[in-house]
Amino acid sequence: MTAIATQHSTPGSTPEPVPQTRDGGIDAFRFLMAMGVIVGHVLSLLPNPVGQPWGMPAWAVPIDAILRSAVPFFFIVSGYFFRYDRGFSRTVRYVGLRILPIYGLWMLVYFALGFLRPNPVPFRLLMLAEGGYGYHLWFLPALAFGLVTVSASVTIGGRRLAAAVVVLLALLGPILFDYHALVGIPEYSHHLSDLKRQLAAPAFVFIGYALRGTQPARLDASIALCVVSLATLLCERYFLAFVAVNPAVWNAESIVSTFLLGTSVFMLARSLNGCPVVARLQSWGFLTLPVYLCHLAYVWLFQRITPAVPARTLVIFLLVAICSVATAVILVRIPLIRTVAAAPGGRRDTKLTQGGQLLVQRWRKRWDSNPR
């Protein structure tokens, strides 16, 4: 995939490359990763066998490990496509006008739904930064924080400063959470614990930013890297859970190997651009954000009403996936939702589907034919 150069430059650097606004492999994987998030949240409904340190049955552990690439993939895609050449002030404007309103709206929705659930969790102020009862919403303020942090760092000191800043935040957040006992810190701050995943976001965004202007890797190399990174993730989680005796590692979002796993899956997506199977899925990519936003409500619903049928977990997943996609098709007709759903990293793209293109062309023709 080629890159387009812009006139933006940072201290001591050449003009930054800007990726093309479309990539079939990335679009297809965005939708697949959204389905992966649903699988992960459905797996969390499984009963935890007695004495199982992973928080889920043993057969679900490798599936859960693979799914740990989903949210990092979203962050990396955002960093890859975001228009840093627009400057820091426009980044803040984008975050304030296009990400935070969506976050506020959905946080209110899940607060209302959360109070309807049995035994709702008591309100805490930090819930405002974590999504409230919609715990998956943490992605949006984390994305906002990541984009603003990387944009500010690049503007002030270029890539070197940005790299130093994101590494420091990652060390203070998720990595230190998992390794604090091994480095002699008896207890990890509960304030940082609430925000550890948000502190990882700038590092993932920066990875996407650093990959701008690069050519897609060979397919075999991307697959090999995915296998190695997945094995590394399983080994690291085993070490932390059994050797370092960290019982919370099963729910870790950003242990060290997660950065490698997210990067390798992103590389695989780019390597598969043009693949016939991918071509069939890429038009679904614009539904990613609304599917992500609404799916948890359906998880809660079908958790309560689905009887104990054979393969209940699979049944719940299928019901949640179908209802989420159907709801997303409706939500993308709402301008504010559609804008963010079509532009996860700040790019504004109206070419969502071939049908959408035809509608735009007809509207333009009708507009041009009317006298002004």
Side-chain angles (χ1 to χ4, degrees), residues 19-338:
Q20 292 178 341
T21 57
R22 305 300 297 179
D23 185 290
I26 291 176
D27 281 344
F29 266 64
R30 286 169 58 204
F31 182 74
L32 291 175
M33 292 297 105
M35 294 297 103
V37 171
I38 295 177
V39 173
H41 287 157
V42 171
L43 287 180
S44 67
L45 305 179
L46 293 170
N48 183 23
V50 177
Q52 172 57 258
W54 298 110
M56 61 185 65
W59 63 265
V61 174
I63 299 176
D64 177 72
I66 294 173
L67 300 177
R68 292 297 169 181
S69 63
V71 175
F73 176 83
F74 294 145
F75 283 127
I76 293 172
V77 170
S78 299
Y80 181 75
F81 281 114
F82 194 75
R83 292 290 303 274
Y84 299 93
D85 58 297
R86 295 176 177 176
F88 175 69
S89 60
R90 293 193 66 179
T91 299
V92 174
R93 182 185 177 191
Y94 167 79
V95 166
L97 296 180
R98 295 176 64 186
I99 294 182
L100 296 185
I102 297 295
Y103 174 63
L105 171 64
W106 283 92
M107 185 168 57
L108 292 176
V109 170
Y110 278 99
F111 264 117
L113 295 175
F115 281 119
L116 297 176
R117 301 189 72 203
N119 303 318
V121 178
F123 174 78
R124 296 181 302 114
L125 190 60
L126 275 176
M127 280 185 171
L128 298 178
E130 298 172 328
Y133 293 112
Y135 47 81
H136 66 307
L137 297 180
W138 70 269
F139 168 77
L140 289 175
L143 174 60
F145 176 64
L147 292 174
V148 169
T149 300
V150 174
S151 180
S153 301
V154 169
T155 300
I156 295 173
R159 290 195 177 197
R160 290 185 179 180
L161 177 62
V165 169
V166 302
V167 168
L168 176 62
L169 292 174
L171 288 174
L172 290 176
I175 297 175
L176 185 58
F177 173 79
D178 292 310
Y179 287 91
H180 68 274
L182 296 180
V183 296
I185 300 176
E187 183 178 358
Y188 186 78
S189 169
H190 68 280
H191 297 293
L192 287 178
S193 181
D194 290 326
L195 301 173
K196 61 182 182 294
R197 294 179 298 184
Q198 283 85 340
L199 292 175
F204 288 115
V205 171
F206 180 78
I207 290 173
Y209 167 73
L211 291 174
R212 293 154 65 90
T214 62
Q215 295 296 319
R218 289 174 44 185
L219 180 59
D220 55 352
S222 298
I223 294 175
L225 184 59
C226 286
V227 172
V228 170
S229 60
L230 180 60
T232 303
L233 177 72
L234 290 170
C235 291
E236 185 180 8
R237 290 177 70 174
Y238 180 88
F239 170 80
L240 289 171
F242 293 95
V243 178
V245 194
N246 185 351
V249 70
W250 67 268
N251 196 32
E253 293 289 348
S254 304
I255 54 180
V256 175
S257 49
T258 310
F259 293 91
L260 177 61
L261 180 62
T263 304
S264 62
V265 171
F266 176 78
M267 294 174 61
L268 178 62
R270 294 186 66 199
S271 299
L272 288 172
N273 191 5
C275 172
V277 177
V278 166
R280 293 178 178 272
L281 287 174
Q282 68 183 65
S283 61
W284 294 80
F286 76 101
L287 296 175
T288 300
L289 183 60
V291 165
Y292 183 91
L293 293 171
C294 73
H295 81 274
L296 187 60
Y298 290 115
V299 172
W300 291 349
L301 172 63
F302 292 116
Q303 176 189 6
R304 298 189 62 180
I305 68 175
T306 305
V309 297
R312 180 173 181 264
T313 302
L314 178 60
V315 171
I316 293 178
F317 164 72
L318 292 176
L319 291 172
V320 172
I322 292 171
C323 291
S324 298
V325 170
T327 303
V329 171
I330 298 173
L331 291 177
V332 293
R333 297 176 181 273
I334 303 173
L336 187 58
I337 298 289
R338 183 180 66 244

